[in-house]
Amino acid sequence: MEIVTVIGGEGCHVSPLGRQELVAGDVLVLRPGAWHGYEDCRALNVFNLCVDPALLRRELSWAWEDPLLGYLLRDGPYAPKQHGMLIFRLDEASLERCAGRLDALAELRDQPLLRYRGDVIGQLTLVLGELARAADNARDPRELLSTSHCHPTAMQAIQLLESRLAHPWTLAGLADALHLTPNYLIRIFKSATGLPPMAYLTRHRVEMAAILLINTRDSIAEVAATVGWPDQNYFARRFRAHFGLSPSAYRARSIRNGRS
């Protein structure tokens, strides 16, 4: 996941949601592969925080059960018509606190992780908490807080799917690997993620494909096979259904806008 915090300056954010003027305090939460770019920047200063989903499954697994963090990291960006993005603004005091904690994270970047893991997790948790409160303040008051509970077996299922992305998964095969009935697996998985297992897998595959298209020179066929869809035509259909673009058009637009 990418979390962009505007520290200063001005610019225009371009995405499937359209063009939005950016000023200090604006925050963009983007799910993996969500296309976006910047134009007309005038001393724009942003802090890009990239969060490995594996971190959310391990050290921050409790965040899935927290209503505010669940909205920030899961429910908000995947709300209908949001195209994998959540956009809100920090007030001046919150921005100052976040900027200090982001600077502290940046200072830890070159330190050995084994010695400073606790510091990194601590600072990251403080940043996410600040952002989650601001996102909650900006949301429609008619929305209900997430009350999903992440069953440990659902986390096992997620880890299996994501660690063996190219495997030809079926619902029956996944349920069998976890020694569960398919119906029970669907129930606990949907409670944790909002999606049935195979729909979650499809979403994760297209997100990982988008990252590979931007950050590697692999051919479309190679990317398709890596994420578990060796049929390139089927891969292209699933990718277009999610992002509204073919894989080749997505890659070309990302290159034009300097996404690498």
Side-chain angles (χ1 to χ4, degrees), residues 41-243:
C41 298
R42 300 173 294 281
L44 184 65
N45 179 17
V46 304
F47 195 108
N48 267 48
L49 178 62
C50 295
V51 183
D52 186 341
L55 188 70
L56 298 175
R57 295 195 304 270
R58 295 194 303 260
E59 288 89 342
L60 297 178
S61 59
W62 57 270
W64 285 77
E65 300 183 40
D66 183 90
L68 268 62
L69 288 170
Y71 176 72
L72 175 75
L73 300 171
R74 182 186 62 249
D75 301 339
Y78 273 121
K81 301 182 180 179
Q82 284 301 107
H83 296 279
M85 301 181 205
L86 179 64
I87 303 174
F88 56 93
R89 182 170 294 171
L90 296 167
D91 61 32
E92 187 174 346
S94 294
L95 175 59
E96 184 176 354
R97 287 192 294 270
C98 266
R101 288 160 184 163
L102 290 169
D103 285 341
L105 272 174
E107 291 174 3
L108 291 166
R109 185 169 47 194
D110 297 325
Q111 300 297 330
L113 186 59
L114 287 177
R115 289 179 61 85
Y116 288 87
R117 182 183 296 274
D119 301 66
V120 171
I121 299 301
Q123 292 293 345
L124 178 59
T125 300
L126 290 171
V127 170
L128 293 178
E130 194 76 52
L131 297 178
R133 287 186 291 274
D136 183 57
N137 289 338
R139 72 194 297 185
D140 188 327
R142 292 171 297 181
E143 295 182 66
L144 295 175
L145 287 176
S146 171
T147 57
S148 61
H149 174 73
C150 197
H151 194 287
T153 306
M155 293 302 296
Q156 278 186 273
I158 290 170
Q159 290 167 355
L160 266 178
L161 293 175
E162 295 186 2
S163 64
R164 300 174 60 192
L165 198 57
H167 183 76
W169 288 109
T170 63
L171 176 62
L174 180 61
D176 187 57
L178 295 166
H179 308 291
L180 301 173
T181 66
N183 287 340
Y184 181 66
L185 174 59
I186 290 174
R187 190 167 78 238
I188 63 171
F189 199 99
K190 194 170 182 179
S191 174
T193 68
L195 293 171
M198 294 301 101
Y200 178 93
L201 177 61
T202 294
R203 187 177 74 183
H204 186 67
R205 280 174 166 167
V206 295
E207 289 181 343
M208 293 303 102
I211 291 172
L212 291 172
L213 289 169
I214 294 172
N215 294 294
T216 75
R217 296 185 178 180
D218 293 351
S219 69
I220 302 297
E222 288 171 330
V223 170
T226 297
V227 301
W229 286 321
D231 184 331
Q232 188 175 334
N233 291 329
Y234 181 78
F235 163 65
R237 289 197 301 272
R238 302 303 306 189
F239 192 92
R240 183 187 291 274
H242 187 84
F243 287 109

